[in-house]
Amino acid sequence: MQFDKKENYTYVSSDENSFQEFYDTFIKQEKEFEKEHIIVHISNEMSVSTEDFLLFLKVAEQKNENGTSFVIINTVVNVDDFPENLNIVPTLQEAEDILEMENIERELGF
């Protein structure tokens, strides 16, 4: 797992061979980034099920409660299969746009 601290968020990318290994490592280190926006890029090469993605739902809800954002980048899943509060987008640019939109919503009190 690689962590890359950007100006407005932390970018997390996977270099593990399995989703479970990636998820376990992420959960262990996620507390270090509790007050930061997080973008997680899950490799399209990794075999990931809908249930695997749903494991991130609790993290997304906690980030929202803390006033921060959580976005997943992946192009192989159908985003319509997931709850609205789990942000999954196909590109980094769209992930950054989500962070910006959610910041604006928080500033406006939504």
Side-chain angles (χ1 to χ4, degrees):
M1 177 170 298
Q2 299 173 357
F3 292 89
D4 187 12
K5 181 76 173 125
K6 304 289 186 181
E7 184 178 336
N8 299 322
Y9 61 90
T10 299
Y11 179 81
V12 181
S13 58
S14 58
D15 57 5
E16 287 77 12
N17 294 326
S18 74
F19 176 81
Q20 192 61 51
E21 185 180 336
F22 170 75
Y23 180 77
D24 291 344
T25 303
F26 175 81
I27 291 301
K28 287 177 189 172
Q29 297 186 355
E30 185 264 334
K31 295 293 182 203
E32 297 173 29
F33 306 102
E34 187 174 3
K35 301 290 184 193
E36 300 177 28
H37 303 295
I38 296 178
I39 295 177
V40 175
H41 186 180
I42 298 177
S43 170
N44 295 336
E45 305 299 317
M46 194 180 295
S47 177
V48 185
S49 70
T50 300
E51 291 77 23
D52 290 336
F53 277 98
L54 289 173
L55 292 173
F56 285 112
L57 188 56
K58 184 176 180 181
V59 173
E61 290 169 348
Q62 288 174 334
K63 298 296 284 174
N64 188 37
E65 289 173 11
N66 290 341
T68 56
S69 298
F70 179 79
V71 184
I72 298 172
I73 301 172
N74 187 272
T75 60
V76 297
V77 298
N78 181 358
V79 296
D80 295 329
D81 292 342
F82 299 95
E84 195 172 296
N85 58 342
L86 184 61
N87 295 314
I88 303 174
V89 296
T91 67
L92 178 58
Q93 181 61 54
E94 288 175 281
E96 290 172 342
D97 291 345
I98 294 276
L99 294 182
E100 188 175 326
M101 287 188 311
E102 287 187 350
N103 274 335
I104 291 169
E105 288 175 355
R106 280 190 282 274
E107 288 174 8
L108 294 174
F110 292 105

